[in-house]
Amino acid sequence: MDINIEAKKLKDNRLLKTEEEIRNFEQAVENIISMKDVNNIKYLCLGFDDSTEHDEVMFGLIHAIESYDKMFGAEEALAKLAEAIPDMYPHAKEWVKVLHKRILNDAPSRKIYVKVISNSDSSIKKTVIDLFSDIMEKNPSKFEMAVNEFLAGLN
């Protein structure tokens, strides 16, 4: 199986406008996961688009990405996710937020992500800090404590 072909299929069908696009998209996700390569997280992230017509299929993609935690360990999977963030802007900013809200809501993942982002390049670090600040600003009662804990842990 060729990752570039599967990634193109995922990207070409990410708006999920027809049943055929949904089938092609879901098949590409399955094929990419079956390759069992943590580096493929970046290809899966290409499947997100804020204009999609079926959020439930996108949540399937989120679960697929989260499954890499079990296969390769959370630190490695979260590092690959962080590296993929720049490729998700601007077309999938809301899905980046959803992924990061899930990290904020899971204390063990949040602690690992602090370490990952501390070791990331400055542009990724700034993007994540801005992202978490935006998430906190929109819902302080739910995210303020987690975001502040995360920010305090950064180097």
Side-chain angles (χ1 to χ4, degrees):
M1 207 168 313
D2 184 332
I3 186 60
N4 293 313
I5 291 171
E6 296 305 317
K8 182 174 178 2
K9 189 187 326 176
L10 190 69
K11 194 173 177 181
D12 289 349
N13 292 284
R14 70 184 177 193
L15 296 182
L16 309 169
K17 290 184 177 184
T18 66
E19 288 300 317
E20 182 181 6
E21 284 186 357
I22 292 169
R23 270 192 310 279
N24 290 340
F25 183 90
E26 289 177 333
Q27 185 61 58
V29 170
E30 285 179 35
N31 290 344
I32 292 169
I33 291 173
S34 74
M35 293 179 200
K36 296 188 188 310
D37 183 345
V38 72
N39 293 307
N40 289 349
I41 288 174
K42 69 181 174 191
Y43 298 108
L44 289 171
C45 287
L46 296 175
F48 289 108
D49 194 297
D50 291 339
S51 301
T52 188
E53 305 224 348
H54 293 279
D55 287 355
E56 68 279 3
V57 178
M58 287 291 129
F59 274 101
L61 182 56
I62 287 174
H63 294 248
I65 290 168
E66 290 173 344
S67 75
Y68 281 83
D69 287 4
K70 292 173 186 67
M71 285 191 272
F72 297 97
E75 187 169 345
E76 193 168 356
L78 288 169
K80 295 301 179 184
L81 175 64
E83 290 170 14
I85 293 170
D87 297 328
M88 297 172 71
Y89 278 84
H91 67 280
K93 186 177 181 185
E94 294 306 311
W95 288 108
V96 172
K97 284 182 187 176
V98 171
L99 285 161
H100 282 77
K101 286 176 184 177
R102 293 173 72 87
I103 293 168
L104 285 170
N105 284 330
D106 184 65
S109 294
R110 189 172 59 244
K111 285 181 173 77
I112 293 167
Y113 204 53
V114 166
K115 187 171 152 184
V116 165
I117 297 304
S118 291
N119 295 319
S120 293
D121 73 49
S122 59
S123 65
I124 290 174
K125 190 182 291 189
K126 181 185 180 333
T127 299
V128 171
I129 290 169
D130 291 348
L131 187 64
F132 279 168
S133 297
D134 188 43
I135 289 169
M136 181 177 68
E137 194 176 292
K138 286 193 171 71
N139 194 343
S141 63
K142 184 168 184 175
F143 293 108
E144 185 171 21
M145 198 165 82
V147 170
N148 286 338
E149 177 188 304
F150 177 87
L151 295 174
L154 288 178
N155 301 352

